[in-house]
Amino acid sequence: MKLFEAVKEAVTARSAAEYYGIKVGRNGMAVCPFHPDKNPSMKLDKRYHCFACQADGDVIDFVAKYFNLSVKESAEKLAEDFSVPYEKYQSYNKTKDYQKPKQKKQTLDQFFHEQQIRFFRVYSDYFHLLKKWKVEYAPRIEDDDWHPLFVEAMEKYTLIEYKMDVLLSGSLEDRARLILDCQEEVKNIEQRIKEESSGRCGCTSGSVTES
Ligand SMILES: [Zn+2]
């Protein structure tokens, strides 16, 4: 069925009005949204008619007027909101909601493959940072407190190395578990690395402060 027919067949003015928040009494009477109405003077059924302002039409007219849409937009809105199936024409194709999703579904294999590459890249970048921090921020005898980056490096170095190892040569199950369990961690590290590379212009000699 064509759009207009299909919508008019499937949706009454009354049900549309109710759907969009207009209170319709049991007798089908409602306060007219198209003129300053105090008492319900609009009768809604398949069509609508206001006895005060003479507004009158079908469901598509009603929604067009109510939302200030063209009749075509109104019919498309109704079709969408009420899930009305209809024959689609070329000219309706620009309505994005009716286009088939272009994105094809990613298979589980692809997902894990991509994640594995991503995880390894992130861990490996991080690992190199840790390695650098371990040297760069190594405490000297006169230091009272260890530099937090040195502490982080000491804490994480072995763990990250282990994770990289799992990704490279772990069983399928171990790799899958790592990828599922460590999403959050990898996201945080990614963020960390991004901040690190934007905020601290790769300082190699200790005294670089300005950016
Ligand atoms: Zn009215």
Side-chain angles (χ1 to χ4, degrees):
M1 218 186 292
K2 291 163 195 166
L3 173 66
F4 285 67
E5 270 175 69
V7 167
K8 281 193 264 188
E9 189 69 29
V11 191
T12 64
R14 177 174 178 163
S15 51
E18 284 177 325
Y19 181 83
Y20 297 122
I22 293 168
K23 228 171 150 178
V24 182
R26 273 205 200 161
N27 53 1
M29 296 300 291
V31 172
C32 174
F34 305 133
H35 82 273
D37 196 11
K38 278 197 187 128
N39 301 303
S41 25
M42 178 178 275
K43 172 87 177 164
L44 290 129
D45 195 351
K46 200 166 167 57
R47 296 170 59 87
Y48 70 97
H49 178 81
C50 175
F51 295 99
C53 72
Q54 307 300 316
D56 184 277
D58 60 29
V59 59
I60 296 172
D61 301 322
F62 182 88
V63 170
K65 198 164 177 183
Y66 191 63
F67 290 106
N68 203 13
L69 302 171
S70 72
V71 283
K72 195 183 132 208
E73 288 166 338
S74 159
E76 284 169 347
K77 176 175 174 57
L78 282 159
E80 193 191 334
D81 292 347
F82 286 85
S83 310
V84 179
Y86 66 92
E87 279 170 35
K88 285 145 207 162
Y89 288 95
Q90 287 292 315
S91 54
Y92 295 137
N93 277 354
K94 69 167 188 247
T95 316
K96 62 178 187 317
D97 308 293
Y98 293 112
Q99 279 175 350
K100 274 191 199 149
K102 277 189 209 109
Q103 239 178 333
K104 62 171 195 267
K105 262 195 181 156
Q106 212 184 18
T107 66
L108 204 58
D109 279 354
Q110 278 173 318
F111 171 78
F112 276 111
H113 182 66
E114 281 169 19
Q115 289 300 307
Q116 195 171 325
I117 293 171
R118 168 177 171 235
F119 269 54
F120 193 80
R121 176 177 47 77
V122 172
Y123 282 144
S124 145
D125 288 352
Y126 187 47
F127 185 73
H128 284 105
L129 272 179
L130 294 174
K131 215 163 145 181
K132 194 177 85 175
W133 292 343
K134 230 166 74 161
V135 177
E136 204 169 305
Y137 296 103
R140 284 157 303 197
I141 300 164
E142 68 270 22
D143 290 343
D144 288 332
D145 297 315
W146 286 1
H147 195 287
L149 291 178
F150 176 75
V151 176
E152 183 176 340
M154 294 306 285
E155 278 172 5
K156 298 286 169 62
Y157 192 80
T158 318
L159 179 68
I160 297 298
E161 193 175 29
Y162 164 75
K163 288 184 175 186
M164 283 162 69
D165 217 46
V166 170
L167 287 173
L168 276 183
S169 50
S171 69
L172 183 63
E173 201 191 331
D174 286 345
R175 279 179 283 151
R177 184 170 306 136
L178 179 76
I179 285 167
L180 292 176
D181 287 350
C182 301
Q183 286 286 334
E184 191 66 19
E185 180 195 56
V186 162
K187 213 173 86 187
N188 291 337
I189 296 176
E190 247 173 350
Q191 185 61 30
R192 191 78 208 284
I193 293 170
K194 209 187 284 171
E195 283 163 14
E196 197 66 26
S197 55
S198 66
R200 295 162 22 90
C201 55
C203 0
T204 43
S205 62
S207 60
V208 180
T209 44
E210 71 275 357
S211 54

